[in-house]
Each structure stands twice: as C-alpha cells, then as structure tokens.
C-alpha cells in the first residue's frame, strides 16, 4: 500500500530534550515536506526537500532541523524543544520537484512541557 | 509571499443540503494550483479537489465542485447533498512557482442530521 508513515504518532516530552520524528514514504517520491498545524493558523511549512541531500526552509524553520540521506526518509529533528513547538506535525511527499499533489502522513501530536 | 484567506471559521449545514465554503488568495503569479483538503476528526489530510489556474473549467469531483474566479482570486468549494461524513475541517491551499503549499486557516464544517 502506498503511504507516508510517521513515528511516533503521539509524544510528550520536556523542554530541552532532543527528539526526532521520523517520516518515511514508499512511493519513490522526490519531494518531501514537514508542516505544523496550529489552531487558527492552518498548516505552515517547516522544511522541504526536493531530493536526497537537497533541503530548504519553509515559512517556520526556526528550532527545527531536517536531513535527507535517503530518498524514502525525511526525519524532523528538534534539538532543544520548547513549549511553543507543541503542535500537530504532518509529513508529506509528492512526485517531482514541484508536485501537483502531496500525500500526507497521519500526523504526530507533540506536547512539550 | 502568497496568502490564503478563509473568512468562515465555522459553518453548519443540514444533511442533504448544499453548502459553499469561501477562499480567497493573493498572488502575482499567473500559473498556480489551488486545492481543497479535508481533515476529519481522524486528523488525516485528504485531498478533495484540485484546480489548475490555466484551466477555465471549474473542477468537479462527485458531490464536490469549485467556483474558480481567477480575476477575483476566489476559489470556493461547493458541497452538494451534504452527508454526515462530510463533517470535517476544510483547508484551502495554494501552490505557485515556489515549491510549497500555503494553507488557509480552515473552516470547520458540521453537517447536522
């Protein structure tokens, strides 16, 4: 089954404790992206990648890191999480460098206390 | 930067009736894509419908159709014969030459029995 998977689905952590949210897709998509969703703000892009070793900032990259060492994986790293990073996070992927459609993962609910 | 505005935070409709969700956007580009995504309580992001700006014909997908007014930069979603399963948050999104999706803040639609 073609899908985008994220792990973990739920995470509660404390301020300053490094964490990684994994994202993997099995559709051989070139494009991958991370979004955060907050009430009243919709989804905002954090980072995106157009291929292996090619990443770029989205609208809200501060406090986040990403890497794209393999085509299928695009982990999101929070080196020192803070409470304002409490949010719902989505990973997405798409065909080509500027996909007509993005396929979303199931979301990761992160709470930073 | 592009902006997407959804001015209706909440809407409700009776089952079997028709409802229209509004979306406006701001861009100086001529070629772009517009999307409506549905997010049910499961939080999964589901693509409802897509419109290419170069196409004059409005996109339709079964009970879902759009009214795309390029000059007015308006992109509304019409849901006909509303069903209880249509209850969800609906997001309008824009993708231009930049390789990212810009989302509106969402409209929570409730279908009443």
């Amino acid at each position: 089954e073609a899908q985008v998977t994220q792990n973990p689905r739920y995470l509660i952590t404390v301020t300053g404790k490094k964490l990684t949210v994994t994202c993997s897709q099995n559709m051989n998509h070139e494009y991958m992206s991370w979004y955060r969703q907050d009430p009243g703000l919709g989804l905002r892009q954090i980072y995106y990648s157009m291929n292996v070793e090619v990443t770029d900032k989205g609208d809200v990259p501060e406090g986040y890191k990403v890497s794209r060492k393999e085509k299928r994986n695009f982990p999101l790293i929070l080196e020192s999480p803070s409470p304002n990073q409490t949010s719902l996070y989505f990973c997405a992927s798409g065909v080509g460098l500027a996909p007509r459609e993005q396929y979303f993962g199931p979301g990761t609910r992160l709470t930073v206390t | 930067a592009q902006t997407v505005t959804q001015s209706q935070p909440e809407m409700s409709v009776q089952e079997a009736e028709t409802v229209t969700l509004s979306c406006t956007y701001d861009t100086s580009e001529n070629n772009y894509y517009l999307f409506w995504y549905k997010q049910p309580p499961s939080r999964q992001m589901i693509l409802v419908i897509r419109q290419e700006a170069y196409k004059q014909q409005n996109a339709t997908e079964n009970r879902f159709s759009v009214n795309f007014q390029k000059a007015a930069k308006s992109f509304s979603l019409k849901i006909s014969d509303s069903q209880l399963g249509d209850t969800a948050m609906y997001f309008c999104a824009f993708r231009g030459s930049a390789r990212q999706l810009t989302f509106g803040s969402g409209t929570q639609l409730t279908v009443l029995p």
Side-chain angles (χ1 to χ4, degrees):
Chain A
E1 178 189 357
Q3 61 182 346
V4 179
T5 57
Q6 295 179 226
N7 282 291
R9 295 289 309 279
Y10 302 89
L11 179 60
I12 300 174
T13 189
V14 296
T15 299
K17 185 176 181 181
K18 181 179 178 180
L19 66 91
T20 299
V21 184
T22 64
C23 173
S24 183
Q25 51 93 6
N26 62 1
M27 296 169 278
N28 201 36
H29 286 167
E30 291 80 12
Y31 184 97
M32 297 186 75
S33 182
W34 277 103
Y35 298 87
R36 61 177 289 174
Q37 181 181 355
D38 302 290
L41 296 177
L43 281 77
R44 294 176 293 168
Q45 190 175 48
I46 302 171
Y47 270 96
Y48 65 95
S49 169
M50 289 185 286
N51 217 324
V52 175
E53 304 292 0
V54 180
T55 63
D56 208 347
K57 296 178 180 179
D59 294 322
V60 288
E62 295 78 18
Y64 304 94
K65 285 177 59 178
V66 293
S67 69
R68 188 92 181 271
K69 292 182 169 53
E70 302 168 284
K71 196 172 185 179
R72 64 183 293 124
N73 296 324
F74 190 46
L76 180 69
I77 303 157
L78 284 72
E79 295 258 351
S80 182
S82 62
N84 64 13
Q85 293 178 299
T86 291
S87 188
L88 177 60
Y89 291 86
F90 286 98
C91 180
S93 72
V95 175
L97 305 182
R100 294 172 62 215
E101 179 177 348
Q102 293 189 30
Y103 299 83
F104 284 81
T108 295
R109 170 70 70 185
L110 172 66
T111 302
V112 184
T113 61
Chain B
Q2 282 79 13
T3 58
V4 178
T5 301
Q6 294 179 249
S7 58
Q8 306 152 314
E10 297 178 354
M11 295 188 72
S12 62
V13 62
Q14 292 293 139
E15 196 174 5
E17 297 294 309
T18 296
V19 64
T20 299
L21 281 58
S22 301
C23 173
T24 59
Y25 57 95
D26 186 25
T27 184
S28 57
E29 299 186 32
N30 193 47
N31 295 316
Y32 48 87
Y33 292 93
L34 294 162
F35 307 85
W36 279 99
Y37 280 89
K38 170 185 177 180
Q39 187 179 50
S42 67
R43 302 182 316 193
Q44 182 70 36
M45 292 291 288
I46 302 166
L47 178 65
V48 175
I49 201 164
R50 174 181 59 235
Q51 174 79 43
E52 289 90 340
Y54 65 86
K55 290 186 177 179
Q56 292 186 343
Q57 186 173 7
N58 289 325
T60 63
E61 288 287 344
N62 301 313
R63 297 182 295 108
F64 298 87
S65 61
V66 299
N67 183 6
F68 172 49
Q69 301 289 330
K70 191 173 184 179
K73 297 179 183 175
S74 171
F75 183 60
S76 61
L77 174 69
K78 185 172 82 170
I79 306 174
S80 303
D81 186 24
S82 297
Q83 301 175 359
L84 296 178
D86 295 334
T87 291
M89 180 74 84
Y90 287 81
F91 291 100
C92 179
F94 171 98
R95 203 222 83 196
S97 59
R99 295 170 176 83
Q100 63 184 87
L101 279 177
T102 300
F103 286 84
S105 55
T107 296
Q108 176 63 48
L109 176 68
T110 301
V111 180
L112 304 169

